[in-house]
C-alpha cells in the first residue's frame, strides 16, 4: 500500500495542476496576474530530500515527459528541468539540516528557479514576448505566492508520506 501511495499522489497532483490553472490569470486593479501551480515539482523536491535522489530523478523524467506531452509544445524541456531541480535539491540538502521549514523554503526557491529557467528558455526560442520585468511582477511573484500557500498547506503531509515510505523501504531492505 505505502509503495503505491507516492505514484498515486504524483498522478493526482499532475492532473490537479491544470484544474488550478483555470483560476489564472487573475485581474486585480486592471493588471493581469498569472498563477502557475507547481504541485508536482514540490512533491518531487520532497522525494529528493526525504527519500531517494535517484527515485526523484526517475519520477522527474517520467512526469516531465508527461508534462511536456500534455501541456506544452516542446518535448524535453520539463523532462530535463524536473530531474535537474530534483538533483539540485538533493545536493543542497546535503549541506543543510532536513528540517521541514528548511525544505519548504528550499522548495519555494527551486520553484522560482524552475519558473525562471522555463522563462529564459521560452525567451531564447521566442515562445514568449513578455519582458523580464513583466515576468517577475505578473507571473513569478504571483506564482510564488500561490505555491507558497500550497507548500504551507501540504508540506507536512508530503513530509509524512515520503518519510514513511522511506522508512518502510529501509525496513524491507533489512
Amino acid at each position: 500500500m505505502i509503495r503505491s501511495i507516492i505514484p498515486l499522489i504524483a498522478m493526482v497532483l499532475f492532473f490537479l495542476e491544470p484544474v488550478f490553472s483555470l483560476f489564472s490569470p487573475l485581474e486585480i486593479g486592471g493588471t493581469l496576474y498569472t498563477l502557475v501551480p507547481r504541485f508536482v515539482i514540490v512533491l518531487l523536491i520532497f522525494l529528493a530530500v526525504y527519500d531517494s535522489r535517484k527515485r526523484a530523478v526517475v519520477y522527474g523524467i517520467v512526469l516531465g515527459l508527461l508534462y511536456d506531452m500534455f501541456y506544452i509544445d516542446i518535448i524535453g524541456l520539463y523532462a530535463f528541468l524536473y530531474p535537474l531541480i530534483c538533483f539540485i535539491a538533493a545536493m543542497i540538502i546535503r549541506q543543510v539540516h532536513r528540517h521541514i521549514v528548511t525544505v519548504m523554503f528550499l522548495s519555494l526557491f527551486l520553484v522560482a528557479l524552475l519558473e525562471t529557467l522555463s522563462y529564459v528558455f521560452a525567451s531564447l526560442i521566442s515562445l514568449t514576448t513578455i519582458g523580464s520585468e513583466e515576468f517577475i511582477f505578473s507571473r513569478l511573484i504571483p506564482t510564488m505566492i500561490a505555491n507558497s500557500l500550497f507548500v504551507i498547506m501540504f508540506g507536512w503531509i508530503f513530509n509524512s508520506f515520503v518519510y514513511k515510505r522511506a522508512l518502510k523501504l529501509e525496513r524491507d531492505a533489512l
Side-chain angles (χ1 to χ4, degrees):
M1 168 68 181
I2 195 110
R3 186 173 287 233
S4 62
I5 194 92
I6 300 296
L8 179 67
I9 291 171
M11 292 311 297
V12 167
L13 292 176
F14 179 79
F15 290 114
L16 277 179
E17 279 186 6
V19 172
F20 281 91
S21 293
L22 295 174
F23 298 113
S24 181
L26 295 175
E27 183 177 354
I28 300 173
T31 306
L32 288 176
Y33 296 100
T34 305
L35 310 171
V36 181
R38 295 293 184 188
F39 305 151
V40 172
I41 194 64
V42 171
L43 176 66
L44 291 175
I45 291 167
F46 274 80
L47 265 175
V49 168
Y50 288 113
D51 190 10
S52 163
R53 176 183 64 195
K54 182 180 176 183
R55 188 171 290 116
V57 168
V58 169
Y59 278 119
I61 292 169
V62 171
L63 292 168
L65 275 172
L66 286 173
Y67 196 89
D68 288 337
M69 290 188 299
F70 282 102
Y71 302 128
I72 66 170
D73 296 333
I74 304 166
I75 302 295
L77 177 63
Y78 286 96
F80 172 74
L81 289 178
Y82 277 9
L84 176 68
I85 296 295
C86 293
F87 184 78
I88 291 171
M91 291 297 110
I92 289 175
I93 208 63
R94 287 184 177 179
Q95 308 302 319
V96 296
H97 183 63
R98 291 181 189 206
H99 191 271
I100 185 68
V101 176
T102 307
V103 177
M104 287 178 168
F105 281 116
L106 175 65
S107 64
L108 290 175
F109 167 74
L110 292 174
V111 166
L113 179 65
L114 175 72
E115 282 299 309
T116 305
L117 288 174
S118 63
Y119 167 73
V120 167
F121 185 78
S123 295
L124 286 175
I125 62 169
S126 301
L127 278 179
T128 186
T129 58
I130 64 172
S132 58
E133 186 175 314
E134 184 180 351
F135 165 74
I136 290 170
F137 291 109
S138 70
R139 182 175 170 138
L140 184 63
I141 292 174
T143 295
M144 294 311 299
I145 292 169
N147 283 294
S148 60
L149 293 174
F150 175 75
V151 168
I152 289 168
M153 290 188 324
F154 291 101
W156 301 98
I157 296 169
F158 287 167
N159 179 26
S160 67
F161 280 128
V162 172
Y163 190 66
K164 283 181 186 177
R165 181 172 187 243
L167 288 177
K168 170 90 169 107
L169 290 174
E170 282 181 21
R171 278 186 294 210
D172 290 346
L174 297 175

